[in-house]
Short mmCIF file of all heavy atoms in Angstrom, two decimals:
data_model
loop_
_atom_site.label_atom_id
_atom_site.label_comp_id
_atom_site.label_asym_id
_atom_site.label_seq_id
_atom_site.Cartn_x
_atom_site.Cartn_y
_atom_site.Cartn_z
N PRO H 46 -25.98 -13.04 -62.75
CA PRO H 46 -25.25 -14.32 -62.31
C PRO H 46 -24.91 -14.29 -60.83
O PRO H 46 -24.81 -15.35 -60.20
CB PRO H 46 -24.07 -14.31 -63.17
CG PRO H 46 -24.42 -13.56 -64.37
CD PRO H 46 -25.32 -12.48 -63.95
N ASP H 47 -24.72 -13.13 -60.25
CA ASP H 47 -24.39 -13.00 -58.80
C ASP H 47 -25.67 -13.19 -57.93
O ASP H 47 -25.52 -13.33 -56.66
CB ASP H 47 -23.74 -11.65 -58.47
CG ASP H 47 -22.45 -11.53 -59.22
OD1 ASP H 47 -21.80 -12.50 -59.46
OD2 ASP H 47 -22.10 -10.39 -59.57
N MET H 48 -26.81 -13.10 -58.46
CA MET H 48 -28.06 -13.09 -57.66
C MET H 48 -28.85 -14.39 -57.82
O MET H 48 -29.93 -14.53 -57.17
CB MET H 48 -28.93 -11.91 -57.98
CG MET H 48 -28.24 -10.54 -57.76
SD MET H 48 -29.35 -9.16 -57.80
CE MET H 48 -29.73 -9.08 -59.59
N VAL H 49 -28.45 -15.32 -58.63
CA VAL H 49 -29.17 -16.55 -58.89
C VAL H 49 -28.24 -17.78 -58.74
O VAL H 49 -27.03 -17.66 -58.86
CB VAL H 49 -29.85 -16.55 -60.28
CG1 VAL H 49 -30.81 -15.41 -60.40
CG2 VAL H 49 -28.81 -16.41 -61.41
N ASN H 50 -28.88 -18.98 -58.58
CA ASN H 50 -28.19 -20.22 -58.61
C ASN H 50 -28.76 -20.98 -59.86
O ASN H 50 -29.95 -20.87 -60.18
CB ASN H 50 -28.51 -21.00 -57.39
CG ASN H 50 -27.76 -20.55 -56.17
OD1 ASN H 50 -26.60 -20.10 -56.30
ND2 ASN H 50 -28.30 -20.61 -54.98
N LEU H 51 -27.87 -21.74 -60.44
CA LEU H 51 -28.24 -22.59 -61.56
C LEU H 51 -28.96 -23.86 -61.05
O LEU H 51 -28.45 -24.52 -60.16
CB LEU H 51 -27.04 -23.02 -62.37
CG LEU H 51 -26.63 -22.13 -63.53
CD1 LEU H 51 -25.33 -22.53 -64.16
CD2 LEU H 51 -27.72 -22.05 -64.62
N VAL H 52 -30.13 -24.16 -61.62
CA VAL H 52 -30.86 -25.36 -61.25
C VAL H 52 -30.56 -26.45 -62.31
O VAL H 52 -30.38 -27.59 -62.00
CB VAL H 52 -32.35 -25.06 -61.21
CG1 VAL H 52 -33.12 -26.41 -60.85
CG2 VAL H 52 -32.63 -24.01 -60.13
N GLN H 53 -30.61 -26.04 -63.58
CA GLN H 53 -30.28 -26.89 -64.74
C GLN H 53 -29.52 -26.15 -65.75
O GLN H 53 -29.65 -24.90 -65.84
CB GLN H 53 -31.58 -27.45 -65.34
CG GLN H 53 -32.49 -28.27 -64.47
CD GLN H 53 -33.74 -28.71 -65.23
OE1 GLN H 53 -33.63 -29.43 -66.20
NE2 GLN H 53 -34.88 -28.36 -64.73
N GLY H 54 -28.77 -26.87 -66.57
CA GLY H 54 -28.05 -26.23 -67.70
C GLY H 54 -26.84 -25.40 -67.27
O GLY H 54 -26.21 -25.61 -66.28
N VAL H 55 -26.66 -24.34 -68.03
CA VAL H 55 -25.50 -23.44 -67.86
C VAL H 55 -26.00 -21.99 -67.91
O VAL H 55 -27.12 -21.65 -68.29
CB VAL H 55 -24.44 -23.65 -68.92
CG1 VAL H 55 -23.82 -25.05 -68.83
CG2 VAL H 55 -24.94 -23.37 -70.35
N MET H 56 -25.12 -21.08 -67.48
CA MET H 56 -25.42 -19.62 -67.51
C MET H 56 -25.25 -19.19 -68.98
O MET H 56 -24.47 -19.79 -69.74
CB MET H 56 -24.55 -18.84 -66.50
CG MET H 56 -24.91 -17.41 -66.46
SD MET H 56 -26.65 -17.05 -66.01
CE MET H 56 -26.66 -17.68 -64.30
N TYR H 57 -25.94 -18.13 -69.35
CA TYR H 57 -25.87 -17.57 -70.70
C TYR H 57 -24.46 -17.12 -70.99
O TYR H 57 -23.66 -16.75 -70.16
CB TYR H 57 -26.89 -16.53 -70.98
CG TYR H 57 -26.93 -15.44 -69.89
CD1 TYR H 57 -25.84 -14.75 -69.47
CD2 TYR H 57 -28.16 -15.07 -69.39
CE1 TYR H 57 -25.89 -13.75 -68.48
CE2 TYR H 57 -28.24 -14.10 -68.31
CZ TYR H 57 -27.12 -13.48 -67.99
OH TYR H 57 -27.22 -12.49 -66.98
N SER H 58 -24.13 -17.09 -72.32
CA SER H 58 -22.87 -16.52 -72.77
C SER H 58 -23.19 -15.24 -73.54
O SER H 58 -24.24 -15.08 -74.14
CB SER H 58 -22.18 -17.54 -73.73
OG SER H 58 -21.87 -18.72 -73.05
N PRO H 59 -22.18 -14.27 -73.56
CA PRO H 59 -22.45 -13.09 -74.33
C PRO H 59 -22.49 -13.33 -75.87
O PRO H 59 -21.89 -14.30 -76.31
CB PRO H 59 -21.26 -12.17 -73.94
CG PRO H 59 -20.21 -13.14 -73.49
CD PRO H 59 -20.91 -14.34 -72.90
N GLY H 60 -23.09 -12.42 -76.58
CA GLY H 60 -23.14 -12.48 -78.01
C GLY H 60 -24.09 -13.53 -78.52
O GLY H 60 -24.98 -13.96 -77.83
N THR H 61 -23.89 -13.94 -79.75
CA THR H 61 -24.70 -14.99 -80.39
C THR H 61 -23.86 -16.24 -80.70
O THR H 61 -22.66 -16.12 -80.80
CB THR H 61 -25.38 -14.42 -81.66
OG1 THR H 61 -24.39 -14.03 -82.58
CG2 THR H 61 -26.31 -13.28 -81.36
N THR H 62 -24.58 -17.27 -80.92
CA THR H 62 -23.91 -18.54 -81.32
C THR H 62 -24.54 -19.07 -82.59
O THR H 62 -25.75 -19.10 -82.69
CB THR H 62 -24.06 -19.60 -80.19
OG1 THR H 62 -23.54 -19.05 -78.98
CG2 THR H 62 -23.30 -20.89 -80.56
N TYR H 63 -23.69 -19.45 -83.55
CA TYR H 63 -24.26 -20.07 -84.79
C TYR H 63 -24.62 -21.50 -84.52
O TYR H 63 -23.71 -22.30 -84.14
CB TYR H 63 -23.31 -19.87 -85.93
CG TYR H 63 -23.83 -20.43 -87.25
CD1 TYR H 63 -24.76 -19.65 -87.97
CD2 TYR H 63 -23.44 -21.64 -87.74
CE1 TYR H 63 -25.22 -20.14 -89.22
CE2 TYR H 63 -23.98 -22.11 -88.99
CZ TYR H 63 -24.86 -21.35 -89.71
OH TYR H 63 -25.35 -21.86 -90.84
N VAL H 64 -25.81 -21.91 -84.88
CA VAL H 64 -26.31 -23.22 -84.61
C VAL H 64 -26.74 -23.92 -85.84
O VAL H 64 -27.54 -23.29 -86.65
CB VAL H 64 -27.41 -23.20 -83.50
CG1 VAL H 64 -27.99 -24.65 -83.33
CG2 VAL H 64 -26.94 -22.67 -82.17
N GLU H 65 -26.35 -25.16 -86.08
CA GLU H 65 -26.89 -25.98 -87.09
C GLU H 65 -27.38 -27.28 -86.49
O GLU H 65 -26.58 -28.04 -85.98
CB GLU H 65 -25.85 -26.33 -88.17
CG GLU H 65 -25.42 -25.12 -89.04
CD GLU H 65 -24.47 -25.54 -90.19
OE1 GLU H 65 -24.53 -26.76 -90.52
OE2 GLU H 65 -23.73 -24.74 -90.68
N THR H 66 -28.68 -27.44 -86.47
CA THR H 66 -29.26 -28.63 -85.85
C THR H 66 -30.57 -28.95 -86.59
O THR H 66 -31.48 -28.20 -86.59
CB THR H 66 -29.55 -28.41 -84.37
OG1 THR H 66 -30.25 -29.54 -83.83
CG2 THR H 66 -30.30 -27.13 -84.05
N GLY H 67 -30.63 -30.08 -87.16
CA GLY H 67 -31.81 -30.55 -87.88
C GLY H 67 -32.11 -29.58 -89.03
O GLY H 67 -31.33 -29.30 -89.89
N ASP H 68 -33.34 -28.96 -88.98
CA ASP H 68 -33.78 -28.08 -90.01
C ASP H 68 -33.45 -26.60 -89.65
O ASP H 68 -33.90 -25.74 -90.33
CB ASP H 68 -35.26 -28.24 -90.26
CG ASP H 68 -36.07 -27.97 -88.94
OD1 ASP H 68 -35.46 -27.93 -87.92
OD2 ASP H 68 -37.32 -27.82 -89.06
N PHE H 69 -32.65 -26.37 -88.57
CA PHE H 69 -32.39 -24.98 -88.22
C PHE H 69 -30.96 -24.67 -88.49
O PHE H 69 -30.00 -25.40 -88.12
CB PHE H 69 -32.72 -24.78 -86.71
CG PHE H 69 -32.38 -23.42 -86.25
CD1 PHE H 69 -33.37 -22.34 -86.46
CD2 PHE H 69 -31.19 -23.09 -85.67
CE1 PHE H 69 -33.05 -21.07 -86.06
CE2 PHE H 69 -30.90 -21.79 -85.26
CZ PHE H 69 -31.84 -20.78 -85.44
N LYS H 70 -30.71 -23.50 -89.02
CA LYS H 70 -29.39 -22.92 -89.26
C LYS H 70 -29.55 -21.45 -88.99
O LYS H 70 -30.32 -20.73 -89.59
CB LYS H 70 -28.90 -23.09 -90.66
CG LYS H 70 -28.59 -24.55 -90.96
CD LYS H 70 -28.03 -24.75 -92.41
CE LYS H 70 -27.82 -26.16 -92.78
NZ LYS H 70 -27.33 -26.27 -94.15
N GLY H 71 -28.65 -20.92 -88.11
CA GLY H 71 -28.73 -19.49 -87.78
C GLY H 71 -28.12 -19.10 -86.50
O GLY H 71 -27.67 -19.98 -85.70
N ASP H 72 -28.12 -17.76 -86.23
CA ASP H 72 -27.61 -17.27 -84.90
C ASP H 72 -28.63 -17.29 -83.86
O ASP H 72 -29.83 -16.95 -84.12
CB ASP H 72 -27.10 -15.87 -85.17
CG ASP H 72 -25.85 -15.77 -86.02
OD1 ASP H 72 -25.06 -16.73 -85.96
OD2 ASP H 72 -25.76 -14.77 -86.79
N VAL H 73 -28.27 -17.65 -82.68
CA VAL H 73 -29.20 -17.70 -81.55
C VAL H 73 -28.58 -16.95 -80.35
O VAL H 73 -27.35 -16.90 -80.21
CB VAL H 73 -29.60 -19.09 -81.13
CG1 VAL H 73 -30.32 -19.82 -82.24
CG2 VAL H 73 -28.38 -19.89 -80.63
#
């Protein structure tokens, strides 16, 4: 994060995130 600039979106977060979207359910 100290060596790059964001062009689009956000910087990553630690760990995993549980996602439910459409036909997908699980950790990403």
